[in-house]
Amino acid sequence: MMLIPTHHFRDIERKPEYLQPEKCAPPPFPGPAGTMWFIRDGCGIACAIVTWFLVLYAEFVVLFVMLIPSRDYVYSIINGIVFNLLAFLALASHCRAMLTDPGAVPKGNATKEFIESLQLKPGQVVYKCPKCCSIKPDRAHHCSVCKRCIRKMDHHCPWVNNCVGENNQKYFVLFTMYIALISLHALIMVGFHFLHCFEEDWTKCSSFSPPTTVILLILLCFEALLFLIFTSVMFGTQVHSICTDETGIEQLKKEERRWAKKTKWMNMKAVFGHPFSLGWASPFATPDQGKADPYQYVV
């Protein structure tokens, strides 16, 4: 059997004797349909809670320190609607990214019966994960936190307490985009508020005392600047990864490309859905990725 020069560990996985299907127990009985996907990881849960707390803190400062005390009602209404809409979409995207199965391979399916049912042709290669005893599709990698093999796994993100993979990459991209937008919006409003307070009496530009107002605004400014930089970089790397059709792990390991090359537009539609529509920007629209074979093998 001819080996393709890739990562050493996958070279080992290619050896027929490595499969050892007799050592794999039958896969567990699948849970009821519609079972929610949730990773029980303490660090990830804590990071997700911190994420929500920071967004809600920004909501509090924007509404009760800057907008509601303002005497410019048109300014307050317009900015309040825009900021709350973006914050809602950011949190909705976070929930979808966290609670959507990223593309987990069925656990424990590397059994003799399952391998025989694949009816592999001579020269076809299958991968077996020794940790979750699963037959891995091409481009799948094992996540030590999720304890599953994930199709087209990009990375595990503790901030969404989940892997970013084939099925939830859209929601993660939207999450980073909307967080970047509300961070930028908050920074702009903080700048205008400081200018307004310097020109007017500090006691009249907020319902809080001047020292409390300054502290709340500085904390929000620091939070917004930090998240703007972080999420903008993440958004850019994710879009680049989608356009090049190469996950973060594949770039890190410098794995040899064994899949068909497509245009950047086709790669975007594969993640966000066919065809292009406003649903691309909605965390409530599940992308139609077409009927792809969940098990692809190298010949």
Side-chain angles (χ1 to χ4, degrees):
M1 185 179 297
M2 183 177 295
L3 297 181
I4 299 174
T6 56
H7 194 265
H8 174 68
F9 187 70
R10 284 219 156 178
D11 287 344
I12 297 175
E13 290 176 341
R14 291 170 181 272
K15 298 179 180 178
E17 61 271 16
Y18 187 75
L19 289 176
Q20 297 178 326
E22 67 279 357
K23 293 187 178 182
C24 287
F29 187 78
T35 301
M36 183 178 66
W37 173 274
F38 184 75
I39 301 301
R40 294 173 178 83
D41 174 59
C43 177
I45 294 173
C47 288
I49 292 173
V50 169
T51 300
W52 274 68
F53 171 78
L54 292 174
V55 173
L56 293 177
Y57 170 77
E59 279 274 359
F60 170 78
V61 176
V62 167
L63 289 178
F64 295 100
V65 177
M66 293 190 286
L67 297 183
I68 293 179
S70 175
R71 285 172 290 184
D72 188 341
Y73 298 112
V74 175
Y75 172 85
S76 296
I77 291 173
I78 293 176
N79 282 282
I81 291 174
V82 172
F83 188 85
N84 280 278
L85 177 62
L86 293 175
F88 172 74
L89 291 172
L91 293 179
S93 300
H94 183 271
C95 284
R96 290 301 303 269
M98 180 171 60
L99 303 177
T100 299
D101 180 348
V105 177
K107 197 172 185 178
N109 67 352
T111 60
K112 184 177 180 181
E113 294 76 15
F114 181 76
I115 295 174
E116 291 177 349
S117 69
L118 296 177
Q119 298 180 346
L120 299 175
K121 299 177 182 179
Q124 283 188 298
V125 177
V126 293
Y127 303 138
K128 173 199 168 184
C129 177
K131 297 178 181 178
C132 58
C133 210
S134 299
I135 295 296
K136 297 200 295 186
D138 196 26
R139 305 186 70 184
H141 293 84
H142 184 84
C143 175
S144 58
V145 179
C146 297
K147 296 180 175 58
R148 298 287 291 274
C149 286
I150 307 297
R151 295 193 301 273
K152 291 186 68 175
M153 175 182 169
D154 186 86
H155 69 287
H156 183 91
C157 179
W159 297 105
V160 298
N161 188 35
N162 201 1
C163 275
V164 177
E166 185 177 71
N167 294 342
N168 69 342
Q169 190 173 24
K170 170 192 172 178
Y171 310 125
F172 181 76
V173 172
L174 292 181
F175 168 65
T176 58
M177 181 182 74
Y178 287 126
I179 289 294
L181 288 176
I182 65 172
S183 298
L184 179 62
H185 191 194
L187 281 173
I188 294 172
M189 285 191 290
V190 168
F192 278 116
H193 197 73
F194 267 121
L195 290 175
H196 173 71
C197 290
F198 282 134
E199 294 174 354
E200 301 288 336
D201 186 357
W202 273 89
T203 58
K204 295 180 180 180
C205 71
S206 175
S207 55
F208 296 89
S209 64
T212 303
T213 300
V214 171
I215 292 173
L216 291 173
L217 290 176
I218 290 176
L219 288 176
L220 175 61
C221 188
F222 178 76
E223 174 197 338
L225 182 61
L226 187 66
F227 270 80
L228 175 61
I229 296 172
F230 177 72
T231 54
S232 296
V233 171
M234 285 301 302
F235 176 78
T237 56
Q238 285 295 301
V239 172
H240 177 266
S241 175
I242 293 171
C243 290
T244 59
D245 193 19
E246 191 174 23
T247 67
I249 290 181
E250 289 165 350
Q251 294 176 18
L252 185 65
K253 291 184 175 182
K254 298 181 180 179
E255 293 186 0
E256 182 179 343
R257 193 182 190 96
R258 302 182 301 276
W259 51 94
K261 189 174 182 179
K262 296 179 289 186
T263 64
K264 294 179 181 179
W265 184 243
M266 287 300 296
N267 291 331
M268 290 291 288
K269 290 197 292 186
V271 172
F272 290 92
H274 301 267
F276 172 76
S277 66
L278 288 177
W280 280 29
S282 171
F284 303 102
T286 302
D288 179 15
Q289 298 171 332
K291 296 182 179 179
D293 183 6
Y295 287 94
Q296 298 175 2
Y297 306 100
V298 177
V299 179

